[in-house]
């Protein structure tokens, strides 16, 4: 690569002609003309003696590789073929051979070198060579280059124009061939296909029973759900709507008769609006509605308008495919569902305010159902490529695709295996969009496939597909080998065989391993091998044997070469006969051997069932099922207590039988290898071997699915005792396990009791005996006496066990599962009675924050919850009573909206808030995970220290940093969890100070106290500026992305700190992170009693003015009373000038009224007496008086 080491030295040396160096192309053509002639200098010819001395000195200083190179001969020429061009021709280049270190071995320009052939300008790309050969280039007698087909040497092969990726050689860890790529797709709850990655569904329906459809189903929520009260988890039964299934008519109450708990109604779309369906479902006693969406694009249609009547139960929308599955299953069995994701709770379903700066929405940070898929991935060892880790994903297709253009007819060959849920998940192979291998769920050993291809373009797809639920087994497909032929007319280089146990003859198209009773001629390391040859008469060999010495002599069969085999049980009986033990390594054709087997087939009683199994109908043993008391579950345990025949899921393996020894000792030792059954059924055993028998491993495997953390226990007898851990081993998933405990059984010398913890999942347990030359005698070995595996799937139940607090019996009754959030085994906060019937919903006013809660916690002051809630929420308003008959009222809803508007993303824990150099992450009413740790514990307030501080790594310390504990200094955790739960949302009313305080309880120790550090956020009523109906201020972000909210400060630095401290409960930690934020939205409406009279100064006229002032901050409410004037000199409240004037007016009016009454009365008397006397006078005149 580049010029040889001599180039730099020559570049600095005087020009001279050193034979084999100067003038050589390999040394950079330094100091010579083309043709190797010396170059003249300006001074003329050098003196011959000086030239000879300089050359000698230069040769002494040069590296050995450049001191002198021999001339090249015709065997030193090498040929390199270029790539094919658009004209379907390629060039052939010529160069001299190089050594293993890439240094030149000859000098083409040296005197006596053979003539270098001229390059071949145009070699047809259609020049074809068959498999087993490659394109060879060589000179013709005329000196021109020509192409021919050259056979590959022994130990190599060629495909005749193609490539091979083999796991045997570890090829899968290398870059994949061009055109081979992987992708994956998954379907979300609305039946939309998504490419790759992970999708977080904000709302999901968890189906808990029946087991066949158990899993998560994505949903969408209706618009009105945000207006409903928090319902907590909806755990109950899913039932189809009666009639036509559309729920457009009132659902009768008889629809849910006899069903306890909550019921969700599954309705078909169409016929009426969604809110009508919800209202009709409510009449039938449904707690929620699950509406199928049949739209092609999966978009939720026509949400109800704001003017529509808002239903009182939630409605969720599920995609068509999921809805069809639930419809069919609901008609056949009881479907138990759980809507427990916080994203489906009312407080999280409502849109949240944003500052509009980033365009992010509230859904970005909600805990949710995670959907997605994993593409095909190479194993780190390169032994295979597999369909990704999709155990937790469903409704996915993981695809390995290959697009090729064959220049001639060819083929594709591959080797695959698959282990998946039978009939539902599995492997599919497609060629040119046509399915050649239908869904295959189980193929535990590699299967070879060969498909012929025609010239032209082809697309192949190896797919692993999963349905809507349940993962089983390894849950993947493997490809070990992929071979494509036809990509070119010929190969340009031979490929070596990949293993010392595989080889080929010259001109081979592939490499093979010999079958059993054959051997590969020659030996490992030899250059020339013939094909596989049969072992001589009377000898045998295992598969893959290399060399004739691996054929071992067949000895006369003995009792140990035969074993008893039984048929399946029928009516408590089975047949028994003797058969040869596999592999057959003795001379079974001799007359004496035939006598060992005999011809009798006996009918005998069935062997006893293993523990925890029984034979109810006289057939095969089946797992035992226990009927446990309420609150208890049957503990499945796989137990092997006897060894009359190999138990289910046990298999044997014999590795690396080798060695070069022959004769009876080696054959006898080979015959004794492998795990065997005791004739009396007391144990399984493996024996040691003679020292000359060679190395090898005898393995006994048990494949078992464990559905919970468990232990495997077994008893064994190891001889000699020191062989345990050296020759006798136990593996879990092919490795030595952690936590293995071996205890001797004192009552049985030489016996060990082994216990090993197991993680949940599919496990491979292996008992191993290692044969090593000189390490064990024929008397050595292992006896496996019994085996037990807890929580093994499909095993019988040995006992009933009560579920621990915080758990309940699973649907299948074989295990315990955690209580869902919002439920607990002891609903009361102090523990109370343990609920044998399982997890119970928390009563109203209490909550269970996480799955597995043992008891429900009471909501704090100012908080409330519905039955079965996982959190408490603040009441829309909080009140503060005082001596006045009318309490103070604070609008908490307005405060929350203002906080979210001002902080934007930071209000939901997606931003860092800085106050006086301290940094916090605050979720006001929604707890948020630890920053950068999704899925961690939640807290409403995180205080950042050290490296977790955004933009300020290692700077700043909190109120509790460097806490002095005794003689040491304790650094705080980073970050600190100061708000694990909301303790109270309470109104504060003090002289001149009003507002709302949110109090949090934390988890960090309080210095000098026995309690915990917490946090509080005091929304202080700021009535100085009346912008109650204006938009709140928006927090600013600095260049580091840190939020700063105007007015937010520590309470300790506020003038009202001492006053506010008087309202805290006793024992409050002095190091609480107490913050305060002024806002007019924290002000209560003013009341009449809030206006106090304030008398002014007395005037010259002896009167003073009385005005009205507020006794505490408030906004709105009744108007300020009008000012008035009053007489000075008395206490506030004497008669004022205006009042005297009013009284005089009353007196005048009263006098006028009295005067008028007297006048009227006088007029009346006048008329009365006038009439009387006037009448008497007239009478006298009439009678003449």
């Amino acid at each position: 690569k580049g010029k040889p080491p001599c180039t730099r030295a020559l570049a600095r040396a005087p020009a001279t002609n050193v034979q084999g160096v100067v003038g050589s192309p390999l040394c950079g053509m330094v100091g010579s003309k083309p043709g190797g002639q010396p170059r003249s200098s300006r001074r003329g010819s050098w003196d011959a003696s000086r030239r000879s001395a300089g050359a000698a000195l230069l040769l002494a200083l040069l590296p050995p590789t450049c001191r002198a190179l021999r001339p090249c001969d015709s065997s030193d020429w090498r040929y390199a073929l270029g790539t094919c061009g658009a004209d379907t021709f390629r060039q052939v280049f010529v160069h001299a051979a190089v050594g293993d270190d890439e240094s030149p071995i000859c000098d083409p320009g040296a005197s006596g070198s053979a003539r270098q052939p001229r390059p071949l300008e145009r070699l047809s790309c259609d020049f074809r060579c068959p498999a087993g050969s490659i394109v060879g280039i060589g000179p013709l007698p005329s000196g021109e280059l020509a192409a021919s087909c050259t056979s590959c040497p022994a130990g190599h092969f060629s495909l005749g124009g193609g490539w091979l990726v083999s796991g045997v050689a570890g090829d899968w860890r290398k870059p994949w061939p061009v055109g081979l790529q992987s992708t994956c797709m998954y379907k979300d709850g609305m039946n939309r296909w998504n490419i790759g990655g992970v999708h977080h569904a904000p709302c999901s329906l968890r189906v808990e029973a029946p087991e066949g459809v158990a899993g998560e189903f994505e949903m969408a929520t209706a618009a009105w759900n945000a207006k409903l009260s928090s319902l907590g988890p909806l755990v109950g039964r899913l039932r189809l709507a009666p009639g036509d299934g559309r729920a457009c008519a009132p659902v009768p109450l008889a629809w849910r008769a006899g069903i306890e708990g909550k019921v969700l109604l599954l309705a078909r779309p169409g016929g009426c609006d969604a809110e009508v369906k919800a209202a009709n479902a409510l009449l039938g006693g449904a707690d929620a509605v699950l509406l199928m969406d049949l739209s092609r694009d999966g978009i939720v249609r026509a949400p109800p308008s704001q003017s529509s009547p808002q239903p009182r139960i939630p409605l969720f929308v599920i995609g068509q495919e999921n809805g069809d599955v639930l419809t069919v299953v609901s008609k056949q069995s009881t479907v138990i569902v759980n809507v427990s994701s916080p994203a489906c709770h009312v407080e999280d379903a409502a849109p949240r305010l944003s500052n509009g700066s980033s365009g992010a929405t509230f859904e970005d940070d909600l805990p949710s159902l995670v959907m997605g898929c994993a593409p095909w991935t190479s194993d780190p060892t390169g032994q295979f490529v597999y369909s990704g880790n999709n155990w937790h994903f469903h409704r996915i297709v993981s695809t390995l695709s290959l697009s090729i253009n064959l220049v001639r007819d060819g083929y594709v060959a591959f080797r695959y295996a698959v282990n998946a849920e039978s009939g539902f998940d599995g492997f599919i192979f497609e060629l040119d969009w046509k399915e050649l291998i239908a869904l295959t769920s189980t193929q535990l050993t590699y299967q070879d496939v060969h498909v012929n291809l025609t010239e032209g373009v082809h697309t192949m797809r190896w797919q692993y597909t999963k349905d809507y639920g349940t993962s089983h087994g390894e849950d993947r497909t493997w490809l070990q080998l992929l071979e494509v032929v036809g990509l070119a007319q010929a190969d340009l280089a031979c490929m070596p065989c990949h293993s010392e146990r595989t080889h080929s003859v010259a001109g081979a198209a592939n490499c093979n391993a010999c079958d059993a009773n054959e051997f590969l001629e020659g030996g490992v390391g030899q250059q020339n091998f013939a094909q596989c040859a049969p072992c001589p008469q009377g000898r045998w060999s295992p598969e893959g044997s290399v060399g004739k010495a691996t054929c071992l002599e067949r000895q006369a069969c003995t009792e140990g070469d035969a074993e008893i085999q039984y048929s399946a049980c029928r009516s408590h009986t089975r047949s028994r006969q003797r058969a040869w033990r596999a592999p057959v390594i003795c001379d079974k054709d001799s007359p004496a051997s035939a006598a060992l087997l005999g011809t009798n087939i006996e009918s005998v009683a069935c062997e006893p069932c293993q523990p925890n199994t029984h034979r109810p109908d006289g057939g095969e043993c089946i797992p035992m099922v226990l009927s446990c008391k309420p609150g208890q579950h049957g503990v499945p345990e796989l137990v092997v207590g006897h060894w009359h025949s190999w138990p289910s899921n046990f298999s044997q393996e014999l590795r690396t039988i080798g060695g070069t020894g022959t004769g009876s000792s080696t054959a006898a030792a080979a015959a004794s290898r492998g795990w065997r059954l005791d004739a009396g059924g007391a144990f399984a055993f493996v024996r040691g071997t003679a020292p000359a028998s060679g190395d090898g491993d005898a393995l006994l495997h048990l494949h078992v699915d464990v559905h919970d953390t468990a232990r495997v226990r077994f008893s064994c007898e190891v001889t000699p005792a020191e062989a345990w851990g050296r020759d006798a081993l136990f593996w879990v998933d092919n490795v030595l396990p952690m936590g293995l405990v071996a205890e001797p059984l004192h009552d049985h010398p030489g016996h060990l009791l082994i216990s090993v913890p197991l993680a949940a999942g599919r496990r491979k347990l292996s008992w191993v005996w290692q044969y090593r030359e000189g390490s064990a005698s024929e008397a050595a070995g292992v006896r496996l006496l019994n085996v037990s595996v807890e929580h093994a799937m499909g095993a019988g139940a040995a006992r009933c066990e009560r579920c621990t607090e915080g758990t309940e019996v699973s649907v299948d009754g074989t295990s315990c599962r955690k209580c869902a959030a919002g439920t607990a085994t002891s609903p009361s906060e102090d523990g109370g009675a343990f609920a044998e019937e399982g997890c119970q919903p928390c009563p109203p006013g209490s909550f269970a924050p996480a799955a597995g809660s043992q008891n429900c916690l009471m909501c704090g002051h100012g908080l409330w919850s519905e039955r079965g809630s996982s959190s408490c929420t603040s009441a829309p308003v909080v009140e503060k009573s005082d001596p006045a008959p009318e309490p103070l009222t604070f609008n908490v809803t307005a405060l929350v909206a203002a906080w979210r508007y001002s902080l934007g993303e930071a209000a939901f824990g997606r931003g860092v808030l800085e106050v006086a150099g301290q940094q916090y992450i605050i979720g006001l009413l929604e707890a948020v995970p630890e920053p950068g740790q999704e899925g961690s514990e939640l807290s409403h307030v995180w205080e950042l220290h050290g490296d977790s501080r955004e933009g300020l790594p290692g700077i700043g310390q909190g109120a509790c940093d460097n806490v002095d504990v005794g003689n040491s200094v304790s650094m705080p955790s980073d970050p600190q969890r100061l708000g694990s739960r909301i303790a109270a949302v309470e109104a504060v009313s003090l002289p001149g100070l009003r507002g709302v305080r949110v109090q949090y309880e934390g988890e960090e120790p309080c210095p000098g106290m026995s309690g915990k550090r917490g946090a509080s956020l005091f929304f202080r009523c700021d009535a100085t500026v009346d912008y109650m109906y204006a938009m709140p201020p928006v927090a600013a972000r600095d260049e580091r992305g840190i939020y700063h909210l105007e007015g937010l400060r520590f309470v300790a630095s506020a003038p009202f700190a001492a006053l506010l401290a008087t309202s805290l409960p006793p024992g409050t930690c002095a190091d609480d992170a107490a913050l305060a934020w002024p806002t007019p939205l924290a002000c209560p409406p003013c009341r009449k009693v809030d206006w106090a009279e304030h008398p002014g100064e007395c005037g010259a006229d002896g009167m003073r003015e009385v005005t009205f002032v507020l006794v505490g901050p408030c906004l709105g409410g009744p108007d300020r009373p009008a000012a008035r004037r009053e007489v000075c000199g008395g206490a506030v409240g004497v008669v004022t000038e205006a009042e005297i004037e009013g009284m005089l007016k009353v007196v005048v009016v009263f006098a006028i009224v009295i005067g008028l009454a007297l006048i009227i009365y006088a007029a009346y008397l006048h008329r009365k007496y006038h009439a009387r006397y006037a009448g008497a006078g007239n009478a006298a005149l009439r009678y003449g008086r």
Side-chain angles (χ1 to χ4, degrees):
K1 297 183 180 180
K3 298 179 181 179
C6 60
T7 303
R8 290 190 297 273
L10 287 173
R12 296 190 298 268
T16 184
N17 185 10
V18 181
Q19 181 67 32
V21 178
V22 178
S24 170
L26 298 178
C27 286
M29 299 295 294
V30 177
S32 67
K33 298 179 181 178
Q37 298 298 320
R39 181 169 50 190
S40 61
S41 67
R42 295 176 182 174
R43 295 173 54 192
S45 300
W46 282 42
D47 179 78
S49 60
R50 291 181 61 192
R51 185 165 60 244
S52 299
L57 177 61
L58 179 62
L59 288 175
L61 296 175
L62 288 178
T65 55
C66 288
R67 291 179 182 175
L69 298 176
R70 64 174 177 79
C72 295
D73 57 36
S74 58
S75 63
D76 291 324
W77 305 125
R78 299 292 182 267
Y79 310 98
L81 281 74
T83 59
C84 288
D87 57 354
T88 68
F89 284 91
R90 58 161 49 109
Q91 287 184 309
V92 179
F93 305 94
V94 184
H95 63 89
V98 296
D100 294 338
D101 59 354
E102 297 189 1
S103 61
I105 61 174
C106 68
D107 179 10
S111 176
S113 289
R115 179 182 177 185
Q116 181 172 329
R118 297 176 56 188
L120 181 61
E121 297 293 336
R122 290 173 61 85
L123 174 64
S124 174
C125 294
D126 293 331
F127 186 87
R128 183 172 181 177
C129 290
S133 63
I134 60 173
V135 177
I137 304 295
L140 297 173
S142 61
E144 299 293 328
L145 292 180
S148 62
C149 293
T150 303
S151 296
C152 290
H156 293 73
F157 70 99
S158 76
L159 300 173
W163 49 254
L164 169 68
V165 182
S166 174
V168 176
D171 291 342
W172 288 110
R173 62 187 169 193
K174 303 175 184 177
W176 291 359
V178 176
L180 185 64
Q181 57 186 355
S182 175
T183 186
C184 66
M185 299 179 66
Y186 65 93
K187 186 180 287 188
D188 60 25
M190 296 294 105
N191 297 329
R192 297 176 295 237
W193 282 105
N194 300 270
I195 298 177
V198 175
H199 167 63
H200 295 264
C203 188
S204 65
L205 173 80
R206 179 172 185 81
V207 178
E208 298 186 347
E211 184 178 358
V213 294
E216 302 280 352
F217 295 80
E218 184 181 3
M219 302 188 303
T221 60
W224 68 75
N225 286 11
K227 300 178 180 292
L228 301 175
S229 300
S230 177
L231 298 172
L234 287 167
V235 182
R237 182 173 174 180
L238 181 68
R239 293 203 65 192
L240 300 176
D244 61 1
R246 296 185 176 184
C248 290
V251 177
L253 285 174
W255 172 78
R256 67 161 296 163
I259 301 177
E260 297 182 357
K262 296 179 179 179
V263 181
L264 282 77
L265 181 140
L266 178 62
R268 296 173 52 215
C272 58
D273 293 335
E275 57 265 39
V276 175
K277 298 176 185 288
N280 289 334
L282 178 60
L283 295 176
D287 295 281
V289 176
L290 186 62
L291 177 63
M292 294 173 56
D293 176 38
L294 299 185
S295 59
R296 293 185 178 181
D297 55 10
I299 299 175
V300 180
R301 300 295 181 184
S305 64
Q306 297 299 320
S307 60
S308 302
Q310 301 299 318
R312 289 177 292 164
I313 62 174
L315 180 139
F316 306 100
V317 181
I318 194 167
Q320 175 184 356
E321 183 177 345
N322 287 340
D324 291 339
V325 170
L326 296 177
T327 299
V328 173
V329 177
S330 296
K331 294 179 180 179
Q332 300 174 351
S333 59
T334 299
V335 179
I336 305 299
V337 296
N338 186 341
V339 185
S340 58
S341 168
C344 292
H345 287 179
V346 175
E347 60 267 23
D348 294 317
R352 303 180 183 178
L353 297 173
S354 170
N355 61 8
S357 60
S358 65
T361 58
F362 75 98
E363 290 91 346
D364 297 338
D365 197 37
L366 292 177
S368 58
L369 161 68
V370 178
M371 294 181 292
C373 60
W376 288 66
T377 305
S378 295
D379 178 69
T381 65
Q383 297 181 6
F384 54 82
V385 62
Y386 66 98
S387 56
N389 185 10
N390 288 291
W391 177 272
H392 298 292
F393 297 135
H394 303 285
R395 300 201 306 172
I396 64 102
V397 176
S398 183
T399 302
L400 182 70
S401 61
L402 174 64
S403 296
I404 55 175
N405 183 13
L406 298 188
V407 300
R408 62 178 178 86
D409 291 350
Y411 66 86
V412 59
F414 60 91
R415 183 176 298 148
Y416 79 95
V418 59
N419 187 8
E421 182 189 9
S422 179
F424 299 96
D425 305 343
F427 168 71
I428 296 174
F429 174 67
E430 293 180 353
L431 173 62
D432 298 332
W433 310 102
K434 295 181 180 178
E435 187 176 274
L436 295 189
I437 299 179
L439 182 71
T440 303
S441 301
T442 304
Q443 178 63 50
L444 299 182
T445 59
Y446 281 116
Q447 176 70 31
D448 289 311
V449 178
H450 185 283
V451 180
N452 292 321
L453 303 175
T454 58
E455 178 182 348
V457 177
H458 296 279
T459 299
M460 286 157 280
R461 302 200 305 169
W462 294 264
Q463 295 182 327
Y464 183 69
T465 177
K466 296 185 65 177
D467 68 347
Y468 49 80
T470 307
S471 298
H472 177 77
E474 297 289 340
D475 196 37
R476 63 184 57 177
T477 294
W478 299 266
L479 284 185
Q480 186 198 46
L481 176 143
L482 180 57
E483 179 180 326
V484 179
V485 173
L487 297 170
Q489 298 290 350
D491 283 331
L492 304 181
C494 297
M495 293 178 283
C497 289
H498 296 132
S499 169
E500 66 178 13
R501 295 195 176 277
T502 60
H503 221 278
S504 66
V505 296
N510 52 52
C511 298
N512 295 312
C514 296
D515 293 333
N517 301 322
E518 294 181 341
F519 69 96
L520 194 66
E521 290 183 334
V524 177
Q526 296 188 15
Q527 297 298 318
N528 296 309
F529 285 87
Q531 296 181 347
C532 295
C535 286
Q537 184 69 28
R539 290 183 173 270
W540 69 279
S541 67
E543 181 180 349
S545 296
V546 178
K548 189 174 182 179
T550 57
C551 292
L552 306 177
E553 182 179 355
R554 292 187 185 274
Q555 300 295 313
C557 294
T558 65
E559 290 286 345
D561 294 307
E563 64 180 2
I564 302 295
Q565 295 183 355
Y566 297 90
S567 66
C569 280
R570 295 291 185 271
S571 300
H572 299 281
T573 60
R574 57 179 176 167
S575 59
R576 179 177 66 183
Q577 62 179 349
R578 293 180 65 82
W580 296 117
R581 189 187 308 276
V584 180
I585 61 176
C586 64
D587 187 6
K588 63 183 180 61
D589 297 325
S590 67
S593 298
L596 292 174
L597 294 183
T599 58
N600 293 334
I601 299 178
E602 301 176 286
S603 179
V604 296
C606 294
E607 66 177 311
C609 289
Q610 296 287 359
N612 301 337
T613 64
H614 66 142
R615 186 179 288 114
D617 57 359
E620 295 301 312
C621 298
I622 62 175
M624 188 177 299
V625 178
L626 296 181
S627 179
C628 299
K629 297 179 181 179
Q632 297 183 351
H633 69 97
V635 180
E637 184 175 8
L638 173 65
V639 180
V640 177
H642 56 78
W643 304 87
H644 298 284
S645 61
W646 287 114
S648 301
N649 299 329
F650 276 83
S651 62
Q652 303 174 61
E653 183 181 0
L654 194 59
R655 292 181 181 173
T656 60
I657 297 180
T660 57
T662 59
S664 60
S665 62
T666 301
S672 66
R673 292 177 183 263
W675 285 85
R676 304 166 67 177
L677 296 173
D678 171 51
F683 48 82
F685 69 98
V686 61
R687 292 175 179 170
T689 182
S693 63
D695 295 347
D697 297 330
L699 300 98
L700 180 63
H701 302 299
L702 169 60
H703 296 271
V704 60
D705 287 303
V706 181
H707 64 70
D708 199 356
T709 303
R711 299 192 75 86
V712 54
R713 297 178 176 86
F714 60 91
S715 299
C716 62
E717 180 183 3
V718 182
T719 305
E722 59 270 17
W724 174 255
R726 184 192 65 193
D727 304 317
L729 304 171
F730 178 72
W731 295 344
V732 176
D733 297 330
N734 297 320
V735 297
L736 292 172
M738 299 292 292
L740 184 147
V741 178
E743 299 178 353
L745 297 178
H746 300 290
D747 296 340
H748 299 82
H751 289 206
L752 294 174
L753 176 61
I754 312 296
S755 176
V756 179
L758 296 178
R762 184 165 181 81
R763 304 270 78 89
K764 179 182 179 182
L765 314 180
S766 304
W767 291 265
V768 185
W769 178 263
Q770 296 183 333
Y771 298 104
R772 298 294 183 265
E773 291 196 29
S775 64
S777 65
E778 293 186 357
V782 177
R783 290 182 176 183
L784 183 59
L785 305 175
N786 53 65
V787 179
S788 68
V789 182
E790 298 174 341
H791 302 296
M793 291 187 182
R799 66 188 186 280
C800 292
E801 189 175 89
R802 179 180 295 278
C803 290
T804 59
E805 292 194 31
T807 63
E808 64 179 352
V809 180
S810 62
V811 176
D812 59 8
T814 62
S815 63
C816 297
R817 62 182 179 184
K818 291 183 178 180
C819 293
T823 65
T825 48
S826 298
S828 61
E829 186 171 17
D830 58 358
F834 181 75
E836 291 188 352
E837 59 272 21
C839 304
Q840 300 297 307
C842 292
S846 63
F847 70 103
S853 297
Q854 298 182 14
N855 45 49
C856 299
L857 305 176
M858 298 302 297
C859 294
H861 180 75
L863 302 171
W864 64 282
S865 68
E866 294 283 353
R867 175 180 172 85
S869 296
S870 60
S871 62
C872 298
T873 185
S874 173
V877 296
V878 292
E879 296 180 344
K880 181 68 173 181
S881 298
D882 55 19
E886 183 181 0
L888 288 169
T889 303
F890 297 84
N891 190 336
V892 178
T893 302
L895 280 177
V896 173
W899 178 261
R900 291 174 175 176
Y901 179 84
S902 296
L903 288 178
E905 289 186 342
F908 305 103
R910 294 195 292 271
V912 178
L913 187 63
E914 188 167 281
V915 183
Q918 278 299 116
Q919 293 185 358
Y920 297 93
I921 291 178
I922 300 177
L924 184 61
L925 297 181
E926 303 85 7
V928 296
E930 180 179 344
Q933 302 291 331
E934 295 298 329
S936 66
E937 290 184 311
L938 303 178
S939 178
H940 293 271
V941 180
W942 294 95
E943 186 177 67
L944 308 186
H945 298 262
D947 294 338
S948 71
R949 289 168 53 84
E950 293 288 340
L952 296 173
I955 301 176
Q957 296 180 348
C960 240
D961 290 5
N962 294 335
V963 180
D964 192 3
V965 182
N967 295 324
S968 63
V969 175
S970 173
M971 293 299 293
S973 59
D974 182 24
Q976 291 194 337
R977 189 177 175 211
L978 302 186
S980 57
R981 59 175 289 194
I982 301 177
V985 177
E986 56 188 358
V988 175
S989 178
L990 299 169
L993 185 66
R994 289 176 176 175
V996 176
R997 178 170 52 205
V998 183
Q999 191 77 26
Y1000 304 99
E1001 292 182 357
E1003 299 295 333
E1004 304 295 332
C1006 181
M1009 297 181 61
S1010 60
K1012 303 285 188 179
R1013 282 192 72 202
S1016 65
L1017 180 56
F1018 177 55
F1019 294 92
R1020 180 173 63 85
C1021 171
D1022 182 11
T1024 58
V1025 180
D1026 187 0
Y1027 57 92
M1028 175 177 286
Y1029 301 104
M1031 299 305 292
V1034 176
R1037 296 184 68 180
D1038 60 20
E1039 65 279 1
R1040 303 166 298 163
I1042 307 299
Y1043 288 83
H1044 302 268
L1045 182 58
E1046 181 182 358
L1048 184 63
R1049 61 194 300 183
F1050 286 107
V1051 170
S1053 61
F1056 53 82
L1059 181 63
L1060 187 62
T1062 61
S1063 65
L1064 293 172
T1068 301
C1069 181
D1071 280 324
D1072 280 2
L1075 304 175
W1077 185 48
T1079 172
L1081 294 173
C1083 296
C1086 296
R1087 306 166 298 174
K1088 290 183 179 181
V1089 297
D1090 290 323
W1091 295 103
E1093 295 176 334
H1094 180 70
E1097 297 292 335
C1098 287
D1101 57 354
M1103 304 296 293
R1104 63 184 176 189
E1105 187 177 19
V1106 179
T1107 59
F1108 292 85
V1109 296
L1110 290 171
V1111 296
C1114 61
L1115 287 175
D1119 293 335
R1120 181 194 302 266
R1124 68 173 186 267
R1125 290 178 61 81
E1126 65 181 14
V1127 177
C1128 298
V1132 175
V1134 300
V1135 180
T1136 64
E1137 180 181 3
E1139 291 173 340
I1140 294 174
E1141 182 179 355
M1143 294 173 63
L1144 291 175
K1145 291 179 180 179
V1146 174
V1147 171
V1148 171
V1149 172
F1150 182 74
I1152 293 173
V1153 172
I1154 295 298
L1156 289 175
L1158 291 173
I1159 292 172
I1160 293 173
Y1161 183 69
Y1164 166 73
L1165 293 176
H1166 173 74
R1167 290 186 64 183
K1168 176 179 177 182
Y1169 289 105
H1170 174 73
R1172 179 176 179 182
Y1173 291 109
N1178 291 337
L1181 290 175
R1182 188 164 47 243
Y1183 292 107
R1185 298 178 178 177

